[in-house]
Amino acid sequence: KAGVTQTPRYLIKTRGQQVTLSCSPISGHRSVSWYQQTPGQGLQFLFEYFSETQRNKGNFPGRFSGRQFSNSRSEMNVSTLELGDSALYLCASSLSAARSYEQYFGPGTRLTVT
Amino acid sequence: GQNIDQPTEMTATEGAIVQINCTYQTSGFNGLFWYQQHAGEAPTFLSYNVLDGLEEKGRFSSFLSRSKGYSYLLLKELQMKDSASYLCAVSPRNGQNFVFGPGTRLSVLP
């Protein structure tokens, strides 16, 4: 069974631009969570989607948004990029929301904002 | 509020035993998890504790004391490939998002 895939793996953007990251969960998994990982803040929760609905949202500004499609694939969007948005963005999938502890992480998208 | 603490870095020798501690203060508790993350790679699940006590899985064991808000990950017979960051995470309530600790970078020396 294929693992969680994320595209692109690396991305360089300039301040003020917007970016869309994609995550394809493990086949059959319906819950997708997004995390931001930086050396200073560690791994921080962004949001979780289950059956196309946002279930939980972390403490991030409204510039960060996401969505989930009927095939469980998910995208996250960051508008008006800031230098501080440079980070590794990780996506994790799990079979269902109730079993969200069994999360499988993708390789991440390394975003650099210049 | 939610707060999880771990030592930033640890060093140990190949073949030795190392204990990585994690203390937490969260609004509610539904389980504590340990993940391993090699540099440049995604975190991978190691263990899950929801009740007090020790969970053993091969060379790795994880302990939990809910009354003390404390957990540790014990790695035995250390190997060079165990050099990685170890992340402690707490699920405050069933179905709610995880809170991750800052991670402990473990270096295993020959």
Side-chain angles (χ1 to χ4, degrees):
Chain A
K1 186 182 279 190
V4 179
T5 59
Q6 291 186 247
T7 57
R9 292 293 311 277
Y10 302 91
L11 204 52
I12 299 175
K13 290 285 189 178
T14 56
R15 277 183 301 175
Q17 287 186 312
Q18 69 93 26
V19 66
T20 299
L21 311 181
S22 180
C23 170
S24 292
I26 291 172
S27 178
H29 283 195
R30 297 169 62 192
S31 173
V32 173
S33 297
W34 288 90
Y35 295 87
Q36 181 195 66
Q37 187 173 34
T38 59
Q41 298 296 320
L43 204 63
Q44 292 187 289
F45 172 78
L46 279 157
F47 24 67
E48 179 196 358
Y49 286 88
F50 178 75
S51 293
E52 302 178 66
T53 302
Q54 187 179 90
R55 290 185 67 247
N56 291 301
K57 190 177 191 304
N59 190 26
F60 278 81
R63 300 185 296 108
F64 292 80
S65 63
R67 59 177 175 169
Q68 186 180 34
F69 302 96
S70 58
N71 61 357
S72 294
R73 189 178 70 86
S74 177
E75 289 181 346
M76 69 161 281
N77 184 278
V78 188
S79 62
T80 320
L81 283 166
E82 300 176 359
L83 294 179
D85 297 333
S86 295
L88 179 67
Y89 290 88
L90 291 162
C91 159
S93 78
S94 59
L95 194 60
S96 71
R99 296 176 60 186
S100 60
Y101 58 86
E102 294 181 9
Q103 295 186 92
Y104 297 85
F105 283 85
T109 295
R110 173 76 62 185
L111 172 65
T112 302
V113 182
T114 62
Chain B
Q2 326 274 33
N3 188 52
I4 299 179
D5 284 320
Q6 301 178 238
T8 304
E9 292 190 34
M10 297 184 71
T11 302
T13 306
E14 195 174 14
I17 299 173
V18 70
Q19 178 175 310
I20 302 174
N21 295 326
C22 169
T23 57
Y24 64 90
Q25 290 177 304
T26 55
S27 55
F29 179 83
N30 193 53
L32 186 140
F33 312 85
W34 285 95
Y35 285 83
Q36 179 192 59
Q37 185 176 26
H38 286 100
E41 297 182 12
T44 55
F45 172 79
L46 285 178
S47 69
Y48 166 60
N49 294 70
V50 65
L51 300 175
D52 290 352
L54 188 69
E55 294 283 341
E56 297 187 77
K57 191 184 293 185
R59 294 189 298 115
F60 293 4
S61 303
S62 57
F63 171 83
L64 174 67
S65 169
R66 288 173 295 171
S67 63
K68 295 181 180 178
Y70 167 70
S71 173
Y72 68 71
L73 181 69
L74 193 71
L75 291 76
K76 304 175 185 175
E77 301 169 15
L78 281 172
Q79 302 175 8
M80 300 296 289
K81 67 178 182 179
D82 296 329
S83 293
S85 287
Y86 291 85
L87 308 173
C88 171
V90 173
S91 173
R93 287 189 184 85
N94 188 25
Q96 288 209 350
N97 51 280
F98 286 11
V99 179
F100 277 84
T104 298
R105 187 184 307 175
L106 173 67
S107 299
V108 180
L109 305 178

